[in-house]
Amino acid sequence: MPATTLRIAIIGAGPGGLVCARVLQRHGVPAEVFEQEARAAARPWHGTLALRPESGQAALRAAGLEREFRALARPEGQETRLLDRTSAALARPAAEPGAAGTAGAPALPGIGRPELRRLLLDSLAPGTVHWGRYLRTLHPRGAGRHEAEFDDGRGETFDLVVGADGAWSRVRPMLSDATPHYSGVTFVETGFEDVDARHPEIARLVGHGRVMAFSGTEGLIARRDGRDRIRVQAAFRGSEDWARAAGLDLADTAAVRAALLGRFAGWDPRLLALLRDSDSGFTHRPLLALPVPHTWPHTPGLTLLGDAAHLMTPLAASGADLALLDGCELARHLAEAHTWQSDPDQGVRAYEAALFARSAAAAASAARALEDALAPEPAHRPPRHRFIRPLHRR
Ligand SMILES: Cc1cc2nc3c(=O)[nH]c(=O)nc-3n(C[C@H](O)[C@H](O)[C@H](O)COP(=O)(O)OP(=O)(O)OC[C@H]3O[C@@H](n4cnc5c(N)ncnc54)[C@H](O)[C@@H]3O)c2cc1C
């Protein structure tokens, strides 16, 4: 089939899917995005994404959006302070010299999730995103073509379907039996608004970057999320349905707060203030991950990117960054095949070979970081977190 007649469907309008569509269109390759959400602002997107030069920033450069990104981004404080439960400084993060997250490393530009989505959406040809289209399943139709069955009952056939549909991808079961498993670690999130004016002590504790305190199987992580907001995560080992097991209704903020304060009893009151004084309610996020490595046999007409391909725990990973890089790399390979009128399947194969190596390394280090950060350890032994370096070895 001549490359120009290819019909490409990208399932999911997350960072990975949108950047893939943009880079394809920039190279003159048409692509359509199918998104389950009814419209762009249907779900509130929170959080600031600090994008690294070699991944997220490189992808936006390839998308021709570097100038626009710089105008929207602000330097993210990357200073990370690591404390123990008494608030004593424990160590500095052990990262590559000059890498993000290292004390003294150059600040990375950060962009809010809603701004990133808007930037990418505005860059696409009108009508690229089909909102309110939830992919139910795919039916092979021969020669690498698949019919996509959407929940509105409409079926459409494509030459290539890209699963950019996140943790619970409906494309992935066509390629692999893997499903996300619970990592054993749960995050309970809360937050502060207008911190500099209303919570100066918390603002001082967190600074312009991030503070992380670990003790045994518990941790508190707090980071600036936008100029005057702070997002807090209480991390601990426990059951996947922690709230229900503890008989808690997550809507009952006072009860959840009391339960968390009980769990972190004995921690320095300055750290406990992160839970005691927060402005918002609590959200429970059990951390899920795909097996490491996650690969699949090459299957003409189908592939995956971002969380659909390599969902990993977030402690030492930057999932949005990786999803942007995947989307851009896949689009580049496909565009190359398109330019040379060669088989687009070769482009997908080349993309997958690089993806498998890259994502296995990132996922393994994310899993290790989580395992080590929240490992029980006797008080007399030095911390054995692999992503930090004890102070005496600095
Ligand atoms: C607690 C937590 C904190 C995190 N913090 C950070 C952070 O600070 N920095 C960072 O870089 N990353 C962070 N991440 C990870 C980051 O959110 C993801 O890795 C990233 O969003 C993945 O992008 P994606 O494009 O692959 O998928 P997603 O962003 O998940 O997008 C998938 C899209 O597909 C749509 N979709 C799903 N199923 C279907 C379907 N069947 N049909 C149609 N549409 C569908 C969804 O509605 C969604 O819009 C965090 C994750 C967690 C859990």
Side-chain angles (χ1 to χ4, degrees):
M1 176 166 309
T4 46
T5 67
L6 285 183
R7 193 171 176 209
I8 300 175
I10 297 167
I11 312 296
L18 291 176
V19 89
C20 185
R22 162 67 182 176
V23 176
L24 282 171
Q25 291 185 353
R26 220 172 159 229
H27 286 88
V29 185
E32 298 162 77
V33 179
F34 294 84
E35 166 59 48
Q36 64 173 337
E37 289 169 11
R39 57 186 190 286
R43 177 168 57 116
W45 276 32
H46 296 299
T48 303
L49 305 168
L51 302 187
R52 294 164 209 247
E54 70 283 6
S55 42
Q57 289 182 45
L60 291 176
R61 201 172 314 121
L65 297 171
E66 191 177 20
R67 198 167 43 83
E68 291 83 345
F69 165 67
R70 299 260 166 224
L72 290 167
R74 62 187 183 82
E76 267 290 282
Q78 287 299 302
E79 179 87 16
T80 296
R81 285 192 305 133
L82 198 68
L83 309 176
D84 67 11
R85 68 200 320 234
T86 69
S87 290
L90 203 55
R92 288 191 185 282
E96 300 305 312
T102 314
L108 289 176
I111 184 167
R113 276 177 199 259
E115 287 78 32
L116 178 62
R117 190 180 227 194
R118 189 76 270 156
L119 171 64
L120 290 166
L121 284 172
D122 288 349
S123 74
L124 295 171
T128 298
V129 181
H130 304 282
W131 297 101
R133 305 287 308 274
Y134 176 79
L135 176 80
R136 237 193 248 287
T137 190
L138 293 161
H139 304 283
R141 291 291 179 247
R145 291 164 64 83
H146 288 85
E147 183 181 340
E149 181 187 319
F150 293 97
D151 68 347
D152 55 11
R154 279 186 283 163
E156 301 186 46
T157 301
F158 300 96
D159 301 288
L160 175 64
V161 178
V162 178
D165 47 347
W168 297 104
S169 170
R170 303 295 296 189
V171 180
R172 191 172 55 229
M174 303 292 294
L175 294 169
S176 131
D177 291 334
T179 51
H181 62 267
Y182 177 50
S183 64
V185 174
T186 231
F187 272 10
V188 182
E189 282 192 5
T190 187
F192 290 83
E193 304 290 329
D194 200 9
V195 274
D196 293 310
R198 295 183 44 238
H199 301 283
E201 304 255 310
I202 297 286
R204 258 196 302 282
L205 176 73
V206 176
H208 293 290
R210 174 167 79 142
V211 66
M212 303 202 287
F214 292 107
S215 176
T217 57
E218 274 136 18
L220 284 174
I221 302 163
R223 64 182 292 178
R224 287 267 171 178
D225 176 13
R227 226 170 281 283
D228 56 1
R229 277 200 310 259
I230 283 175
R231 185 159 55 128
V232 177
Q233 286 146 345
F236 50 88
R237 291 189 178 273
S239 85
E240 188 173 358
D241 62 352
W242 163 77
R244 203 159 53 86
L248 288 167
D249 172 2
L250 279 167
D252 184 347
T253 300
V256 177
R257 201 186 298 284
L260 288 173
L261 286 169
R263 180 155 198 137
F264 285 81
W267 283 52
D268 186 294
R270 285 168 294 180
L271 290 168
L272 286 182
L274 292 168
L275 301 173
R276 196 185 54 225
D277 301 337
S278 67
D279 294 320
S280 62
F282 293 90
T283 313
H284 180 213
R285 288 190 204 286
L287 300 188
L288 305 175
L290 281 167
V292 183
H294 177 234
T295 62
W296 54 88
H298 174 74
T299 307
L302 296 176
T303 195
L304 302 173
L305 62 77
D307 278 5
H310 47 63
L311 178 70
M312 55 189 85
T313 50
L315 203 55
S318 169
D321 232 10
L322 292 172
L324 286 167
L325 182 61
D326 293 352
C328 164
E329 287 295 297
L330 174 60
R332 272 183 173 160
H333 283 292
L334 289 171
E336 209 166 295
H338 181 262
T339 306
W340 299 106
Q341 297 277 304
S342 61
D343 180 5
D345 196 50
Q346 291 306 320
V348 175
R349 278 181 193 277
Y351 156 76
E352 287 174 346
L355 169 83
F356 291 161
R358 181 170 72 229
S359 61
S365 94
R368 243 187 349 255
L370 191 73
E371 210 42 49
D372 290 347
L374 295 174
E377 55 204 358
H380 62 272
R381 259 203 310 176
R384 53 197 179 85
H385 313 142
R386 294 177 68 109
F387 70 109
I388 57 168
R389 185 175 353 151
L391 278 176
H392 66 268
R393 281 173 47 202
R394 261 194 295 143

